[in-house]
Amino acid sequence: QVQLVESGGGLVQPGGSLRLSCVASGSIFTVYTMGWYRQAPGKERELVATITSGGVLFRGGVTDYAASVKGRFTISRDNDKNTVHLQMNSLKPEDTAVYYCRLRASQDYWGQGTQVTVSS
């Protein structure tokens, strides 16, 4: 079975920064893309950022961002590893949410989520 483990969440003041990490383990033959989603209290889960892993179906390293985080967040991946990061700068209170890692392969896999709270 595939397991995704997120880390790096916490409490930060407005304007601060956090770096989230997600490590995937298990039997994965082909990874299509990895990304970050978030869910704020009382709201639906929404896309934050994705990055393609490369291969026969995708050009590697292609990123996509939600409009609300463009210019502030950066998604990246480690070379030859099923690991993805989300560098979050200039954080705002509205960024407060549980952030989930997603891996798309022949099936979809989700992490358990990590809490990000932006508050003075």
Side-chain angles (χ1 to χ4, degrees), residues 9-13 18 92-93 95-97 99 115-119:
L11 175 64
V12 66
Q13 294 184 339
L18 286 173
K92 305 174 181 179
D95 295 318
T96 296
Y99 285 70
Q115 177 70 48
V116 172
T117 302
V118 185
S119 179

Side-chain angles (χ1 to χ4, degrees), residues 23-120:
V23 179
S25 61
S27 298
I28 307 173
F29 296 109
T30 303
V31 177
Y32 302 147
T33 185
M34 296 184 70
W36 292 94
Y37 294 70
R38 67 186 181 187
Q39 187 166 23
K43 302 192 69 176
E44 295 184 347
R45 190 172 299 184
E46 64 176 353
L47 180 147
V48 177
T50 60
I51 185 167
T52 61
S53 299
V56 297
L57 298 178
F58 296 92
R59 178 165 62 89
V62 179
T63 59
D64 187 33
Y65 296 92
S68 60
V69 307
K70 287 181 179 178
R72 300 188 297 119
F73 292 9
T74 302
I75 189 170
S76 62
R77 61 176 185 171
D78 287 351
N79 292 334
D80 301 319
K81 295 174 66 177
N82 289 329
T83 303
V84 66
H85 307 279
L86 185 69
Q87 179 65 45
M88 305 186 294
N89 299 326
S90 302
L91 283 162
K92 305 174 181 179
E94 50 263 44
D95 295 318
T96 296
V98 177
Y99 285 70
Y100 296 91
C101 181
R102 182 192 186 189
L103 183 153
R104 299 189 68 188
S106 58
Q107 304 178 52
D108 279 348
Y109 302 94
W110 292 87
Q112 80 287 349
T114 184
Q115 177 70 48
V116 172
T117 302
V118 185
S119 179
S120 298

